PDB file of all heavy atoms in Angstrom:
ATOM      1  N   ASP A  47       2.149  17.381 -48.972  1.00 39.00           N
ATOM      2  CA  ASP A  47       3.442  17.617 -48.347  1.00 39.00           C
ATOM      3  C   ASP A  47       4.591  17.045 -49.162  1.00 39.00           C
ATOM      4  O   ASP A  47       5.745  17.339 -48.906  1.00 39.00           O
ATOM      5  CB  ASP A  47       3.458  17.011 -46.942  1.00 39.00           C
ATOM      6  CG  ASP A  47       2.493  17.748 -46.022  1.00 39.00           C
ATOM      7  OD1 ASP A  47       2.648  18.972 -45.899  1.00 39.00           O
ATOM      8  OD2 ASP A  47       1.601  17.109 -45.471  1.00 39.00           O
ATOM      9  N   THR A  48       4.270  16.205 -50.135  1.00 34.00           N
ATOM     10  CA  THR A  48       5.325  15.653 -50.982  1.00 34.00           C
ATOM     11  C   THR A  48       5.786  16.675 -52.026  1.00 34.00           C
ATOM     12  O   THR A  48       6.825  16.514 -52.645  1.00 34.00           O
ATOM     13  CB  THR A  48       4.822  14.402 -51.709  1.00 34.00           C
ATOM     14  OG1 THR A  48       3.610  14.721 -52.397  1.00 34.00           O
ATOM     15  CG2 THR A  48       4.550  13.286 -50.712  1.00 34.00           C
ATOM     16  N   TYR A  49       4.999  17.717 -52.218  1.00 34.00           N
ATOM     17  CA  TYR A  49       5.404  18.790 -53.142  1.00 34.00           C
ATOM     18  C   TYR A  49       4.995  20.106 -52.497  1.00 34.00           C
ATOM     19  O   TYR A  49       3.815  20.379 -52.325  1.00 34.00           O
ATOM     20  CB  TYR A  49       4.735  18.645 -54.504  1.00 34.00           C
ATOM     21  CG  TYR A  49       5.073  19.775 -55.448  1.00 34.00           C
ATOM     22  CD1 TYR A  49       6.308  19.818 -56.079  1.00 34.00           C
ATOM     23  CD2 TYR A  49       4.170  20.819 -55.658  1.00 34.00           C
ATOM     24  CE1 TYR A  49       6.631  20.851 -56.926  1.00 34.00           C
ATOM     25  CE2 TYR A  49       4.493  21.865 -56.506  1.00 34.00           C
ATOM     26  CZ  TYR A  49       5.717  21.884 -57.137  1.00 34.00           C
ATOM     27  OH  TYR A  49       6.037  22.917 -57.958  1.00 34.00           O
ATOM     28  N   SER A  50       5.963  20.885 -52.092  1.00 39.00           N
ATOM     29  CA  SER A  50       5.645  22.074 -51.301  1.00 39.00           C
ATOM     30  C   SER A  50       6.350  23.311 -51.825  1.00 39.00           C
ATOM     31  O   SER A  50       7.504  23.269 -52.240  1.00 39.00           O
ATOM     32  CB  SER A  50       6.047  21.838 -49.838  1.00 39.00           C
ATOM     33  OG  SER A  50       5.844  23.009 -49.093  1.00 39.00           O
ATOM     34  N   LEU A  51       5.614  24.411 -51.827  1.00 41.00           N
ATOM     35  CA  LEU A  51       6.197  25.710 -52.168  1.00 41.00           C
ATOM     36  C   LEU A  51       6.783  26.398 -50.937  1.00 41.00           C
ATOM     37  O   LEU A  51       7.341  27.471 -51.035  1.00 41.00           O
ATOM     38  CB  LEU A  51       5.127  26.617 -52.781  1.00 41.00           C
ATOM     39  CG  LEU A  51       4.545  26.139 -54.116  1.00 41.00           C
ATOM     40  CD1 LEU A  51       3.451  27.093 -54.558  1.00 41.00           C
ATOM     41  CD2 LEU A  51       5.617  26.040 -55.169  1.00 41.00           C
ATOM     42  N   GLY A  52       6.595  25.777 -49.756  1.00 42.00           N
ATOM     43  CA  GLY A  52       7.123  26.375 -48.544  1.00 42.00           C
ATOM     44  C   GLY A  52       6.142  27.241 -47.793  1.00 42.00           C
ATOM     45  O   GLY A  52       6.450  27.779 -46.747  1.00 42.00           O
ATOM     46  N   ILE A  53       4.915  27.421 -48.337  1.00 40.00           N
ATOM     47  CA  ILE A  53       3.924  28.260 -47.657  1.00 40.00           C
ATOM     48  C   ILE A  53       3.566  27.655 -46.313  1.00 40.00           C
ATOM     49  O   ILE A  53       3.444  28.342 -45.309  1.00 40.00           O
ATOM     50  CB  ILE A  53       2.669  28.417 -48.534  1.00 40.00           C
ATOM     51  CG1 ILE A  53       3.048  29.044 -49.877  1.00 40.00           C
ATOM     52  CG2 ILE A  53       1.611  29.258 -47.814  1.00 40.00           C
ATOM     53  CD1 ILE A  53       1.899  29.058 -50.879  1.00 40.00           C
ATOM     54  N   PHE A  54       3.411  26.318 -46.293  1.00 42.00           N
ATOM     55  CA  PHE A  54       3.076  25.615 -45.062  1.00 42.00           C
ATOM     56  C   PHE A  54       4.196  24.623 -44.703  1.00 42.00           C
ATOM     57  O   PHE A  54       3.947  23.546 -44.225  1.00 42.00           O
ATOM     58  CB  PHE A  54       1.750  24.865 -45.203  1.00 42.00           C
ATOM     59  CG  PHE A  54       0.580  25.775 -45.401  1.00 42.00           C
ATOM     60  CD1 PHE A  54       0.025  25.939 -46.668  1.00 42.00           C
ATOM     61  CD2 PHE A  54       0.038  26.474 -44.345  1.00 42.00           C
ATOM     62  CE1 PHE A  54      -1.054  26.786 -46.857  1.00 42.00           C
ATOM     63  CE2 PHE A  54      -1.047  27.312 -44.528  1.00 42.00           C
ATOM     64  CZ  PHE A  54      -1.590  27.468 -45.788  1.00 42.00           C
ATOM     65  N   ASP A  55       5.438  24.990 -45.001  1.00 44.00           N
ATOM     66  CA  ASP A  55       6.554  24.082 -44.788  1.00 44.00           C
ATOM     67  C   ASP A  55       6.939  24.071 -43.317  1.00 44.00           C
ATOM     68  O   ASP A  55       7.773  24.830 -42.861  1.00 44.00           O
ATOM     69  CB  ASP A  55       7.746  24.524 -45.642  1.00 44.00           C
ATOM     70  CG  ASP A  55       8.859  23.500 -45.609  1.00 44.00           C
ATOM     71  OD1 ASP A  55       8.720  22.508 -44.871  1.00 44.00           O
ATOM     72  OD2 ASP A  55       9.866  23.702 -46.310  1.00 44.00           O
ATOM     73  N   LYS A  56       6.321  23.177 -42.563  1.00 43.00           N
ATOM     74  CA  LYS A  56       6.558  23.124 -41.122  1.00 43.00           C
ATOM     75  C   LYS A  56       7.970  22.636 -40.819  1.00 43.00           C
ATOM     76  O   LYS A  56       8.547  22.990 -39.810  1.00 43.00           O
ATOM     77  CB  LYS A  56       5.529  22.197 -40.468  1.00 43.00           C
ATOM     78  CG  LYS A  56       4.102  22.637 -40.699  1.00 43.00           C
ATOM     79  CD  LYS A  56       3.139  21.602 -40.175  1.00 43.00           C
ATOM     80  CE  LYS A  56       1.720  21.933 -40.588  1.00 43.00           C
ATOM     81  NZ  LYS A  56       0.781  20.897 -40.139  1.00 43.00           N
ATOM     82  N   GLU A  57       8.502  21.802 -41.690  1.00 43.00           N
ATOM     83  CA  GLU A  57       9.814  21.229 -41.417  1.00 43.00           C
ATOM     84  C   GLU A  57      10.886  22.308 -41.357  1.00 43.00           C
ATOM     85  O   GLU A  57      11.735  22.309 -40.474  1.00 43.00           O
ATOM     86  CB  GLU A  57      10.153  20.213 -42.499  1.00 43.00           C
ATOM     87  CG  GLU A  57      11.540  19.605 -42.316  1.00 43.00           C
ATOM     88  CD  GLU A  57      11.884  18.673 -43.443  1.00 43.00           C
ATOM     89  OE1 GLU A  57      11.046  18.491 -44.344  1.00 43.00           O
ATOM     90  OE2 GLU A  57      12.993  18.117 -43.428  1.00 43.00           O
ATOM     91  N   ASN A  58      10.844  23.246 -42.291  1.00 45.00           N
ATOM     92  CA  ASN A  58      11.899  24.245 -42.362  1.00 45.00           C
ATOM     93  C   ASN A  58      11.565  25.525 -41.608  1.00 45.00           C
ATOM     94  O   ASN A  58      12.440  26.350 -41.379  1.00 45.00           O
ATOM     95  CB  ASN A  58      12.182  24.588 -43.834  1.00 45.00           C
ATOM     96  CG  ASN A  58      12.717  23.389 -44.588  1.00 45.00           C
ATOM     97  OD1 ASN A  58      13.462  22.589 -44.034  1.00 45.00           O
ATOM     98  ND2 ASN A  58      12.328  23.259 -45.846  1.00 45.00           N
ATOM     99  N   ASN A  59      10.320  25.696 -41.236  1.00 45.00           N
ATOM    100  CA  ASN A  59       9.920  26.909 -40.537  1.00 45.00           C
ATOM    101  C   ASN A  59       9.200  26.578 -39.234  1.00 45.00           C
ATOM    102  O   ASN A  59       8.238  27.227 -38.865  1.00 45.00           O
ATOM    103  CB  ASN A  59       8.992  27.750 -41.427  1.00 45.00           C
ATOM    104  CG  ASN A  59       9.667  28.158 -42.719  1.00 45.00           C
ATOM    105  OD1 ASN A  59      10.593  28.957 -42.710  1.00 45.00           O
ATOM    106  ND2 ASN A  59       9.208  27.612 -43.829  1.00 45.00           N
ATOM    107  N   ILE A  60       9.700  25.558 -38.541  1.00 43.00           N
ATOM    108  CA  ILE A  60       8.991  25.039 -37.383  1.00 43.00           C
ATOM    109  C   ILE A  60       8.810  26.093 -36.296  1.00 43.00           C
ATOM    110  O   ILE A  60       7.741  26.215 -35.701  1.00 43.00           O
ATOM    111  CB  ILE A  60       9.729  23.804 -36.814  1.00 43.00           C
ATOM    112  CG1 ILE A  60       8.941  23.159 -35.673  1.00 43.00           C
ATOM    113  CG2 ILE A  60      11.126  24.143 -36.337  1.00 43.00           C
ATOM    114  CD1 ILE A  60       7.785  22.375 -36.137  1.00 43.00           C
ATOM    115  N   GLU A  61       9.837  26.915 -36.032  1.00 49.00           N
ATOM    116  CA  GLU A  61       9.750  27.886 -34.949  1.00 49.00           C
ATOM    117  C   GLU A  61       8.732  28.980 -35.248  1.00 49.00           C
ATOM    118  O   GLU A  61       7.910  29.322 -34.406  1.00 49.00           O
ATOM    119  CB  GLU A  61      11.131  28.510 -34.683  1.00 49.00           C
ATOM    120  CG  GLU A  61      12.174  27.512 -34.200  1.00 49.00           C
ATOM    121  CD  GLU A  61      11.798  26.866 -32.884  1.00 49.00           C
ATOM    122  OE1 GLU A  61      11.037  27.481 -32.109  1.00 49.00           O
ATOM    123  OE2 GLU A  61      12.252  25.747 -32.634  1.00 49.00           O
ATOM    124  N   SER A  62       8.787  29.521 -36.475  1.00 46.00           N
ATOM    125  CA  SER A  62       7.871  30.598 -36.817  1.00 46.00           C
ATOM    126  C   SER A  62       6.445  30.090 -36.950  1.00 46.00           C
ATOM    127  O   SER A  62       5.482  30.752 -36.577  1.00 46.00           O
ATOM    128  CB  SER A  62       8.307  31.292 -38.113  1.00 46.00           C
ATOM    129  OG  SER A  62       8.331  30.373 -39.181  1.00 46.00           O
ATOM    130  N   TYR A  63       6.311  28.856 -37.480  1.00 45.00           N
ATOM    131  CA  TYR A  63       4.967  28.316 -37.715  1.00 45.00           C
ATOM    132  C   TYR A  63       4.222  28.104 -36.410  1.00 45.00           C
ATOM    133  O   TYR A  63       3.023  28.340 -36.305  1.00 45.00           O
ATOM    134  CB  TYR A  63       5.086  27.000 -38.485  1.00 45.00           C
ATOM    135  CG  TYR A  63       3.755  26.445 -38.938  1.00 45.00           C
ATOM    136  CD1 TYR A  63       3.190  26.863 -40.140  1.00 45.00           C
ATOM    137  CD2 TYR A  63       3.058  25.530 -38.162  1.00 45.00           C
ATOM    138  CE1 TYR A  63       1.972  26.364 -40.566  1.00 45.00           C
ATOM    139  CE2 TYR A  63       1.839  25.023 -38.576  1.00 45.00           C
ATOM    140  CZ  TYR A  63       1.306  25.445 -39.782  1.00 45.00           C
ATOM    141  OH  TYR A  63       0.096  24.959 -40.200  1.00 45.00           O
ATOM    142  N   TYR A  64       4.944  27.663 -35.394  1.00 47.00           N
ATOM    143  CA  TYR A  64       4.294  27.336 -34.136  1.00 47.00           C
ATOM    144  C   TYR A  64       4.536  28.370 -33.031  1.00 47.00           C
ATOM    145  O   TYR A  64       4.209  28.123 -31.874  1.00 47.00           O
ATOM    146  CB  TYR A  64       4.780  25.973 -33.635  1.00 47.00           C
ATOM    147  CG  TYR A  64       4.293  24.828 -34.458  1.00 47.00           C
ATOM    148  CD1 TYR A  64       5.138  24.150 -35.317  1.00 47.00           C
ATOM    149  CD2 TYR A  64       2.969  24.422 -34.398  1.00 47.00           C
ATOM    150  CE1 TYR A  64       4.689  23.098 -36.079  1.00 47.00           C
ATOM    151  CE2 TYR A  64       2.508  23.378 -35.161  1.00 47.00           C
ATOM    152  CZ  TYR A  64       3.369  22.716 -35.999  1.00 47.00           C
ATOM    153  OH  TYR A  64       2.916  21.674 -36.756  1.00 47.00           O
ATOM    154  N   HIS A  65       5.112  29.489 -33.380  1.00 54.00           N
ATOM    155  CA  HIS A  65       5.492  30.468 -32.365  1.00 54.00           C
ATOM    156  C   HIS A  65       4.315  30.887 -31.493  1.00 54.00           C
ATOM    157  O   HIS A  65       4.467  31.091 -30.296  1.00 54.00           O
ATOM    158  CB  HIS A  65       6.100  31.704 -33.044  1.00 54.00           C
ATOM    159  CG  HIS A  65       6.513  32.762 -32.065  1.00 54.00           C
ATOM    160  ND1 HIS A  65       7.615  32.620 -31.242  1.00 54.00           N
ATOM    161  CD2 HIS A  65       5.953  33.966 -31.762  1.00 54.00           C
ATOM    162  CE1 HIS A  65       7.726  33.697 -30.489  1.00 54.00           C
ATOM    163  NE2 HIS A  65       6.740  34.530 -30.776  1.00 54.00           N
TER     164      HIS A  65
END
Side-chain angles (χ1 to χ4, degrees):
D47 293 304
T48 53
Y49 177 77
S50 175
L51 296 177
I53 301 172
F54 295 103
D55 188 356
K56 301 173 189 177
E57 178 184 359
N58 296 324
N59 300 292
I60 185 76
E61 296 298 334
S62 60
Y63 188 86
Y64 290 106
H65 180 72

